[in-house]
Amino acid sequence: MVKNPRTVAIAAALALALSACGGKDQAQQGGGMPPPEVGVVTVKPGDVPLQKDLVGRLAAFRSADVRARVPGVLQRRVYEEGSDVKAGQVLFLIDPAPLQAEVGQAQASLASAQANYANSKAAADRARRLAPDKFVSQSDLDNALAAERSAGAAVKQAEAALANARINLGYATVTAPISGRANQQQVTEGALVGQGTATLLTTVDQIDQLYVNFSLSVSELEQVRRAQQLAGDSKVQVILPDGTPYEHPGKLDFSGDVVDPTTGAIALRALIPNPEKNLLPGTFVTLQATLGTQPNAYLVPQTGLQRDAKSAYVLVVGSDGKVARKDVRAERQQGGNWVVTQGLAPNDQVIVSGVQRAQPGSPATAKPVDAADAGKPGAAAAPGAPAQGQAGQKPAEKAAGQEPAKKD
């Protein structure tokens, strides 16, 4: 059958048009999407402060019990309760009359002993003078000398009794043993105190500096030891209830060496200045303890670290522009970062935003972001990337400018 030349020309033109349309569709479909844009932080090793968030309890730097050391009737309280007192300041007065009588008796006993000693000494001196001429026997001389020695000892005993009586009389005036804040009185006026036991009258606490007691687990202590700390540049910061740090940081001054079998922890103590006396003993406080520095560690924003069944890992953009996985050792959180001690290399570009679009082995466009902003809400999306879910399109499709193919 002979074909019409016109029909053949039309068919050829139609085939050419369909071929051009198919080529256009293939160009649209086979051109490929550009690499996803991800936010990266360039990490470098350095000395990272070894910080721990802890809870401790404040205690007075010194605390002294004020007790009645002699028996008697409490006459009156001299100080104002809750006020600051100085060492040696009078706090209480105990009835001194019986103690004054004891002093008088001791003075009389001393006078009698001194008189006896004078007589014994005179007799002994006389015997010494007569002994060379044999006017007294050796036995009488020995007795006279013995009586002199006994009388001298009695004088010393009486002097000691008088000193003791005067000391007891001094205890009738009860003074502050240390400088600090005096608490409430424990016994009212007119009560008999010091009878048999030393009655507690009040306590005085020195609070111009305070101790804060806390503890660390054995595993945490190992971290501290690896950081070569438990002394030196350690710092303990008290966090006030409103979240603000206390203006006077303290320092670690004691570390126990015995593990508490009930808690598995080791006791530590820090000394906190308290010049304004705003902190009070017995208060539970939050602490931020800096127990030294950890060398050659990396700070990775929390959004950049992921975990699976194998280990913790990060995704990095390599020098070839492709995404790679790196397994790391993340020891602890510090602020908005993870402290990574193994697995990273200097100047690694860790992906901290757009992580969900990065696949190991695939290319990605790295855009530096501020490490301080990496952990803030919304940082997980790549900078400048559109939100997902607009008109049912994925952000990558919209960014690529892909449109539905038109039918011819």
Side-chain angles (χ1 to χ4, degrees), residues 294-345:
Q294 192 167 2
N296 299 321
Y298 297 84
L299 289 178
V300 176
Q302 293 183 12
T303 55
L305 188 132
Q306 304 178 69
R307 294 182 184 273
D308 59 12
K310 182 181 178 182
S311 68
Y313 68 93
V314 297
L315 298 179
V316 301
V317 178
S319 58
D320 57 356
K322 293 185 178 181
V323 178
R325 167 178 169 148
K326 285 195 171 185
D327 294 336
V328 298
R329 177 179 178 180
E331 290 199 348
R332 68 184 189 280
Q333 283 183 299
Q334 186 162 302
N337 301 306
W338 281 96
V339 178
V340 175
T341 56
Q342 293 180 7
L344 289 176

Side-chain angles (χ1 to χ4, degrees), residues 80 82-86 89 179-182 205 207 277:
E80 182 179 354
S83 63
D84 292 332
V85 298
K86 300 292 185 181
Q89 181 177 331
S179 297
R181 183 161 296 176
D205 297 321
I207 61 173
K277 302 179 181 177

Side-chain angles (χ1 to χ4, degrees), residues 75-382:
Q75 286 187 326
R76 64 189 182 95
R77 169 176 55 83
V78 180
Y79 75 101
E80 182 179 354
E81 294 174 306
S83 63
D84 292 332
V85 298
K86 300 292 185 181
Q89 181 177 331
V90 178
L91 303 181
F92 296 94
L93 294 177
I94 297 174
D95 183 10
L99 302 173
Q100 290 172 343
E102 291 181 4
V103 171
Q105 290 178 354
Q107 288 174 334
S109 297
L110 176 59
S112 176
Q114 289 173 338
N116 290 334
Y117 175 72
N119 294 335
S120 299
K121 187 176 184 305
D125 290 342
R126 184 167 54 251
R128 291 190 189 94
R129 291 194 303 268
L130 297 176
D133 297 330
K134 305 299 183 181
F135 292 124
V136 294
S137 64
Q138 184 64 37
S139 176
D140 292 339
L141 176 61
D142 292 341
N143 291 335
L145 295 177
E148 180 187 24
R149 290 192 293 269
S150 297
V155 169
K156 292 184 179 297
Q157 186 177 9
E159 289 174 345
L162 177 58
N164 184 64
R166 286 174 174 167
I167 290 173
N168 290 336
L169 178 60
Y171 288 156
T173 302
V174 183
T175 60
I178 61 174
S179 297
R181 183 161 296 176
N183 295 316
Q184 291 180 322
Q185 69 180 98
Q186 301 297 313
V187 180
T188 59
E189 290 81 353
L192 180 62
V193 296
Q195 193 70 31
T197 58
T199 306
L200 177 64
L201 303 179
T202 189
T203 57
V204 178
D205 297 321
Q206 182 179 344
I207 61 173
D208 56 352
Q209 51 185 345
L210 295 173
Y211 286 128
V212 57
N213 298 297
F214 56 99
S215 61
L216 283 179
S217 65
V218 176
S219 60
E220 290 175 321
L221 185 64
E222 289 302 320
Q223 289 183 353
V224 173
R225 286 175 175 170
R226 284 199 300 269
Q228 300 178 353
Q229 290 299 321
L230 272 186
D233 57 351
S234 61
K235 183 178 72 172
V236 177
Q237 183 77 57
V238 174
I239 306 300
L240 299 177
D242 60 358
T244 59
Y246 183 58
E247 59 182 329
H248 302 291
K251 62 180 181 179
L252 192 71
D253 80 324
F254 169 77
S255 173
D257 54 2
V258 177
V259 178
D260 188 337
T262 59
T263 62
I266 295 178
L268 291 94
R269 186 183 69 190
L271 187 61
I272 307 293
N274 190 31
E276 295 85 10
K277 302 179 181 177
N278 294 328
L279 301 179
L280 299 176
T283 307
F284 285 98
V285 293
T286 302
L287 305 173
Q288 187 178 74
T290 303
L291 303 176
T293 55
Q294 192 167 2
N296 299 321
Y298 297 84
L299 289 178
V300 176
Q302 293 183 12
T303 55
L305 188 132
Q306 304 178 69
R307 294 182 184 273
D308 59 12
K310 182 181 178 182
S311 68
Y313 68 93
V314 297
L315 298 179
V316 301
V317 178
S319 58
D320 57 356
K322 293 185 178 181
V323 178
R325 167 178 169 148
K326 285 195 171 185
D327 294 336
V328 298
R329 177 179 178 180
E331 290 199 348
R332 68 184 189 280
Q333 283 183 299
Q334 186 162 302
N337 301 306
W338 281 96
V339 178
V340 175
T341 56
Q342 293 180 7
L344 289 176
N347 299 318
D348 273 347
Q349 297 186 95
V350 178
I351 300 176
V352 295
S353 63
V355 179
Q356 69 278 6
R357 290 189 296 277
Q359 297 296 328
S362 301
T365 301
K367 183 174 182 180
V369 299
D370 188 355
D373 298 332
K376 294 182 178 179

